[in-house]
Amino acid sequence: MMSKSNTSTQKRRRKKYLYLMNDNVNSFDNVRTVLTSLIPGMNDIKATSIATIVHNNSQCDIYQGFAPEIYVLAAQLRKQGLRIQIHDKRL
């Protein structure tokens, strides 16, 4: 049986969502390369689909996870020049 403090900790831990935002700087190839190199489980086909969605819709959710991993990943993506936002809910 879980203790009361463990249950409280689990309830406070909420999933975060990473969104890639459109810009007029990065090419499809650059976006695909960065996503496949940094996001766990990302492949060329998924990365190309994300780049297309972002181009057409201005944004796309690209990853979900928990702190601190999500913040580290966002910083790495930003360092590569991508526009990234973190949200508590799906948009």
Side-chain angles (χ1 to χ4, degrees), residues 3-75:
S3 69
K4 189 174 182 177
S5 62
N6 284 343
T7 305
S8 301
T9 303
Q10 288 178 350
K11 286 182 182 178
R12 281 187 255 136
R13 192 166 187 218
R14 298 202 191 271
K15 209 174 259 190
K16 304 278 186 186
Y17 300 90
L18 271 186
Y19 280 82
L20 176 63
M21 310 306 287
N22 195 21
D23 62 29
N24 294 322
V25 178
N26 290 290
S27 67
F28 275 62
D29 287 336
N30 184 52
V31 170
R32 189 175 63 234
T33 301
V34 171
L35 293 179
T36 55
S37 67
L38 292 176
I39 296 186
M42 184 65 63
N43 62 37
D44 226 22
I45 295 170
K46 287 181 188 176
T48 301
S49 295
I50 287 171
T52 303
I53 291 168
V54 170
H55 178 73
N56 293 327
N57 300 327
S58 299
Q59 66 184 18
C60 181
D61 62 322
I62 58 171
Y63 191 77
Q64 56 186 329
F66 299 98
E69 173 197 21
I70 204 91
Y71 294 105
V72 171
L73 185 54

